[in-house]
Amino acid sequence: VGRAQVQQEPSAETTEGTGISINCSHPNIKFNEFILWYRQLPGRGPEFLVRALQGSQEVRSPQGRLSVAADRRSSALWLARPRRGDAVLYSCAL
């Protein structure tokens, strides 16, 4: 309570097929908290994509990778070859 959990840029843009990194800041993360990423298609609930404590983790759909900074205060979801259908809401959480 009283601490910002995560911070994200409001939007990110790329062209179809060109990789993009979506960044998330979580400066107050605790040592045992997982970093979770979701995406949400219009009119649907959030869909879990990936979670990690540290290092990097492969994402299968959409194809990409979650990378966690060494100090765990930020993470980045890399989408390797985004398609039009991947232009949806992406959210990180702890």
Side-chain angles (χ1 to χ4, degrees), residues 14-17 39 41-42 81-88 90:
T14 189
T15 56
E16 189 169 17
R39 76 174 179 173
L41 297 156
R81 289 181 290 279
R83 298 172 297 180
R84 287 183 189 270
D86 296 324
V88 297
Y90 291 86

Side-chain angles (χ1 to χ4, degrees), residues 27-44:
N28 299 314
I29 191 169
K30 294 179 181 176
F31 77 96
N32 61 343
E33 284 183 307
F34 277 93
I35 300 156
L36 312 168
W37 279 82
Y38 298 85
R39 76 174 179 173
Q40 188 168 3
L41 297 156
R44 300 180 64 178

Side-chain angles (χ1 to χ4, degrees), residues 19 46-48 62 82 92:
E47 171 192 0
F48 173 75
C92 64

Side-chain angles (χ1 to χ4, degrees), residues 2-19:
R3 65 186 181 113
Q5 291 291 311
V6 298
Q7 299 165 356
Q8 288 182 258
E9 291 296 319
S11 64
E13 228 176 89
T14 189
T15 56
E16 189 169 17
T18 301

